Amino acid sequence: KTQIVHIVKIKHSNTKMNVINKIGQAASDAKGKVAQEADKVIKKVQNKRPSGKSSGEPAAEGQRAYLIGGNWKCNGTVESVKEIVKVFNNAGPIPANVEVAICAPSIHLGICLSELRDDIAVGGQDCGVNYKDGAYTGEIGAAQLKDFGCEWVIVGHSERREGFEMAGEDEELCAKKLKVALDAGLKVMFAIGEKKEEREAGTTMVVCAKQLEPAAKLLSEEDWSNVAIAYEPVWAIGTGLTATPEMAQETHKSIRDWVAENVSADVAAAVRIQYGGSMKGANAESLLAQPDIDGGLIGGASLKADFFNVVNGAP
């Protein structure tokens, strides 16, 4: 009689465990299905972006493709961003030798990643120095930008180096952010440049070299393949003042020479150097015709249809 009761208990226990296992398996299957459905939704959103078109021939092997970046800064409402996205989507083909990226305010990245034509890359305007998630209130990590679908980020913009009602970011911090972003798999427009008084004092390259030196120490040669140097004469940003094409070329050539001497000749030959001093449709063609100007980092004009006049200004 005792053995019968024991056998019944064992069978009851086994049945109970089987039920628990089945419930656990069902929960696991449901979780997997939810994850699959979430992936489908994400892919559907990503694939929702309109297809872009290109024209002309791509850059020949060994030649640098132009890089035209748009920096929307702290501008735009949901409505205005959707409007400029429509303008860009209907702006016609992008030359095959030109790469285009828009760096939008973080709150508008979702719109760009779901509605902007797919031949325009999307990027952030800054990233944190933190490698991992954590207690960094207000920061956006480079890995988060990458996970969200961004390809690019701006690091070291003069407005962040200078600061606005806060301490600015020094050369060491900008270099660390650059490395963090690259390690996260992002491409970086690394901004450097001098102020008006530094230009007038003849110390432009002293300033630019000081901003580049910490980066040169941290980066490997391989890292540089995902870096564009954005030369921004601070005195020309948002002022309407622009260096002449010859002035800009002289500084770009000096920057390339510095990279050759302090990194390597191969990196110097391959790295793209953008001009970021109030480039717009009216002056883009003459600036981009210079041998060491490989594109632009565009501020105000990137919020207008004129941005595509810059894009189409590449030789």
Side-chain angles (χ1 to χ4, degrees):
K1 190 174 180 179
T2 304
Q3 286 178 338
I4 292 170
V5 170
H6 183 63
I7 290 169
V8 169
K9 283 183 177 179
I10 290 173
K11 287 184 176 180
H12 177 72
S13 177
N14 287 343
T15 301
K16 188 175 180 182
M17 287 303 298
N18 286 337
V19 170
I20 291 171
N21 287 337
K22 286 180 180 179
I23 291 172
Q25 185 60 48
S28 178
D29 291 344
K31 185 178 179 182
K33 287 178 181 177
V34 168
Q36 288 174 4
E37 290 303 314
D39 284 341
K40 286 179 184 177
V41 171
I42 290 170
K43 285 177 181 176
K44 189 179 286 185
V45 169
Q46 289 174 337
N47 293 334
K48 182 182 173 184
R49 294 177 67 179
S51 297
K53 295 180 180 179
S54 66
S55 62
E57 295 297 321
E61 188 174 349
Q63 289 187 342
R64 299 182 296 269
Y66 291 92
L67 173 61
I68 306 297
N71 177 15
W72 286 356
K73 305 191 180 187
C74 185
N75 287 298
T77 62
V78 170
E79 183 181 0
S80 69
V81 166
K82 284 178 174 285
E83 281 304 311
I84 194 62
V85 163
K86 286 179 185 176
V87 170
F88 290 175
N89 288 349
N90 294 313
I94 291 173
N97 65 337
V98 177
E99 182 179 359
V100 182
I102 289 293
C103 295
S106 10
I107 59 169
H108 297 316
L109 288 173
I111 295 173
C112 293
L113 286 165
S114 60
E115 298 183 25
L116 183 62
R117 55 192 289 175
D118 62 4
D119 56 349
I120 297 180
V122 177
Q125 298 175 4
D126 183 44
C127 68
V129 73
N130 49 300
Y131 269 98
K132 298 180 179 178
D133 295 351
Y136 308 99
T137 302
E139 286 292 72
I140 297 176
Q144 290 176 309
L145 287 172
K146 179 68 177 177
D147 178 66
F148 199 56
C150 293
E151 295 179 47
W152 286 91
V153 67
I154 300 169
V155 170
H157 192 280
S158 62
E159 290 157 7
R160 298 204 64 84
R161 290 182 187 267
E162 185 68 17
F164 24 85
E165 300 295 327
M166 65 179 188
E169 299 177 358
D170 63 22
E171 292 85 4
E172 298 291 338
L173 177 58
C174 291
K176 287 176 184 176
K177 283 188 172 187
L178 169 61
K179 180 61 175 169
V180 168
L182 292 169
D183 288 348
L186 292 169
K187 293 181 279 189
V188 182
M189 297 180 220
F190 187 61
I192 63 171
E194 84 285 4
K195 299 176 184 177
K196 187 178 181 183
E197 58 269 25
E198 293 164 336
R199 159 68 67 170
E200 291 172 346
T203 59
T204 293
M205 265 318 295
V206 173
V207 173
C208 290
K210 185 181 178 185
Q211 294 168 344
L212 286 167
E213 280 167 2
K217 291 175 183 176
L218 284 179
L219 270 54
S220 67
E221 283 204 29
E222 291 73 24
D223 284 334
W224 284 97
S225 63
N226 289 313
V227 177
I229 298 172
Y231 166 62
E232 298 187 302
V234 180
W235 48 272
I237 299 174
T239 64
L241 299 173
T242 310
T244 65
E246 294 74 23
M247 286 169 62
Q249 163 59 24
E250 181 182 14
T251 306
H252 279 233
K253 177 66 165 58
S254 296
I255 292 169
R256 199 175 302 283
D257 289 344
W258 187 94
V259 174
E261 292 171 13
N262 293 275
V263 183
S264 79
D266 287 344
V267 169
V271 70
R272 291 179 288 185
I273 306 175
Q274 302 161 276
Y275 178 72
S278 294
M279 185 185 284
K280 46 188 176 289
N283 60 20
E285 192 172 339
S286 57
L287 285 163
L288 295 172
Q290 302 301 313
D292 289 293
I293 298 181
D294 307 310
L297 181 53
I298 319 303
S302 68
L303 289 156
K304 305 171 185 175
D306 187 49
F307 182 64
F308 260 73
N309 292 325
V310 178
V311 171
N312 291 313

